[in-house]
Amino acid sequence: MIQGSGRCHYHPDRAGLGVCVECRRVICRECTTQFEGINRCASCLDTRRKALEGPPPRREWSVLNVVLALVGAVLLWGGVVLAAHVVG
């Protein structure tokens, strides 16, 4: 579709009703959703909704995470002790 042709970007057989303020695509009545007083297409609306939700919630540590952290700490401590023995 040629932008500005007056046909819906997602449904070329339908006349365009408006333009999405985010992507500037012509969209039909079924593709237009007004959010915060502004017309957006479904794709841009989903992107905007995700941005408003913020970061995903933190996950709790599982037993495996704790075990791996402890193994890493022991290996790091062992490396420090070994380096001290080699140097000293």
Side-chain angles (χ1 to χ4, degrees):
M1 180 185 105
I2 299 170
Q3 198 165 10
S5 68
R7 308 304 296 172
C8 178
H9 175 78
Y10 301 101
H11 304 103
D13 58 319
R14 299 180 188 165
L17 174 71
V19 176
C20 174
V21 297
E22 301 288 332
C23 65
R24 309 302 299 162
R25 293 180 177 141
V26 176
I27 45 182
C28 66
R29 179 178 300 278
E30 288 181 35
C31 293
T32 302
T33 302
Q34 202 171 71
F35 180 69
E36 298 174 330
I38 299 171
N39 290 331
R40 289 185 172 89
C41 67
S43 175
C44 293
L45 179 64
D46 188 47
T47 302
R48 178 71 178 146
R49 183 186 54 79
K50 286 178 182 175
L52 290 175
E53 286 178 356
R58 285 182 54 183
R59 295 187 321 173
E60 297 298 322
W61 281 46
S62 68
V63 173
L64 180 61
N65 294 124
V66 173
V67 169
L68 288 174
L70 290 173
V71 168
V74 167
L75 290 174
L76 182 63
W77 178 253
V80 169
V81 169
L82 182 63
H85 259 297
V86 171
V87 173

